[in-house]
Amino acid sequence: MTSSFTVQAASGYEQLMGRWSRRLATKFIDFAGLAAGEKILDVGCGTGSLTFELAKSAGLAEIRAIDFSPVFVEAARQRNTDPRVTISQADATALPFADGAFDRSLALLVLHFVPEAGKAVAEMRRVVRPGGVAAAVVWDHYGGMTGMRMMIDTVAALSESGRQMRSRYCFQPMMQPGEMKRTFVEQGLVDVTEAELMIRMDYENFDDFWAPIGAGEGPLGKYMTTLDEAEQKRIEAAVRDAYQAGGADGPRSFANVAWACRGIVP
């Protein structure tokens, strides 16, 4: 399996998305549910936003976390101090665990970066015992990411390549209403429920907003690395103008909505 997410450094990801992933993780855990004594699998753990939020639940017996990126795996391992947590490199579409090994498999902000997302859901179902839960959450790039759409739409207005990048960004897998729910049903999960989860992303100033993008992190950061220096500066200036919106540089807050889905393994 390949991943369509670009990561240059774990610290860059933390500034781009990790800090917001942690906010979303708490809401996602409430949605997915937990019970004392359970064994949990975190599929696509990244730097550990969900993993270490799960570890705050003292009653859990075991937390296994996997990610495709060795950069993320190493960063998460360095953060880990909980003996219940094991972090390893693995493929979400070919999980290295026995059938029914876990009580729940959870995926936070992962499935939209997996080209074969249906296969990943099938694997999440396979490794969960009958009666257990598989659950996932992804950002609504098209209609729910106000700050990111502001940036993406600004870039799209400047060039044809920017418009093509916007199309890729807005129509990644699992992001359309009902799409994840249909996939869960197709993979044999029952009592499937879809919901919307919302957080806010709060930035100190434009540099706080832009720095990881300028460093090449994430989908827009990857796009920026394909451009010459003059075009990079033109885009940065245009996005800065959109961020400031005619006001002084400083704090800004953007609402962000994610699609969440859970199902029961029959």
Side-chain angles (χ1 to χ4, degrees):
M1 183 202 78
T2 58
S3 170
S4 61
F5 188 86
T6 300
V7 56
Q8 304 294 330
S11 59
Y13 172 80
E14 279 292 302
Q15 187 174 5
L16 175 70
M17 193 55 64
R19 50 183 167 168
W20 315 126
S21 300
R22 288 192 291 277
R23 285 191 183 181
L24 185 62
T26 59
K27 292 178 177 286
F28 179 49
I29 290 170
D30 288 343
F31 172 78
L34 290 179
E38 288 189 332
K39 296 180 179 180
I40 310 295
L41 175 63
D42 179 0
V43 178
C45 64
T47 54
S49 298
L50 177 60
T51 305
F52 300 121
E53 194 63 35
L54 287 166
K56 293 179 182 179
S57 299
L60 294 179
E62 181 182 359
I63 303 165
R64 298 292 297 266
I66 67 99
D67 201 277
F68 190 70
S69 166
V71 174
F72 283 155
V73 170
E74 180 58 27
R77 282 175 173 168
Q78 289 180 5
R79 290 180 58 192
N80 183 38
T81 59
D82 193 316
R84 297 171 302 162
V85 174
T86 304
I87 303 162
S88 57
Q89 185 178 10
D91 184 337
T93 64
L95 295 171
F97 306 109
D99 296 359
F102 298 95
D103 298 289
R104 297 177 201 260
S105 61
L106 310 180
L108 175 79
L109 304 177
V110 174
L111 292 184
H112 50 317
F113 294 115
V114 179
E116 297 180 286
K119 186 179 290 187
V121 174
E123 280 291 273
M124 290 174 66
R125 176 201 165 180
R126 180 185 65 79
V127 300
V128 170
R129 63 167 174 79
V133 172
V137 62
V138 301
W139 292 122
D140 177 5
H141 279 187
Y142 183 86
M145 302 271 300
T146 56
M148 295 300 172
R149 275 302 301 266
M150 174 194 73
M151 177 168 53
I152 294 290
D153 287 342
T154 298
V155 173
L158 298 178
S159 69
E160 176 59 29
S161 64
R163 286 188 287 275
Q164 293 173 7
M165 183 272 299
R166 178 176 61 184
S167 181
R168 293 191 299 271
Y169 177 84
C170 288
F171 295 102
Q172 289 173 249
M174 303 291 104
M175 289 186 171
Q176 302 310 302
E179 184 180 2
M180 203 162 31
K181 183 176 182 178
R182 288 192 300 272
T183 301
F184 272 48
V185 171
E186 289 168 358
Q187 298 304 328
L189 291 153
V190 299
D191 296 331
V192 177
T193 301
E194 186 176 72
E196 298 176 27
L197 307 180
M198 191 191 84
I199 66 164
R200 296 196 72 87
M201 294 182 180
D202 302 300
Y203 298 93
E204 295 180 4
N205 49 40
F206 177 72
D207 287 342
D208 186 31
F209 178 80
W210 180 256
I213 303 298
E217 297 293 347
L220 181 55
K222 180 180 180 180
Y223 171 75
M224 292 289 290
T225 65
T226 69
L227 307 175
D228 61 32
E229 184 177 358
E231 186 65 7
Q232 289 180 18
K233 289 181 177 179
R234 185 168 81 112
I235 287 174
E236 180 177 351
V239 176
R240 180 186 294 272
D241 184 64
Y243 176 91
Q244 295 176 352
D249 193 13
R252 299 291 190 274
S253 182
F254 301 99
N256 292 269
V257 176
W259 295 113
C261 192
R262 68 171 182 260
I264 306 298
V265 176

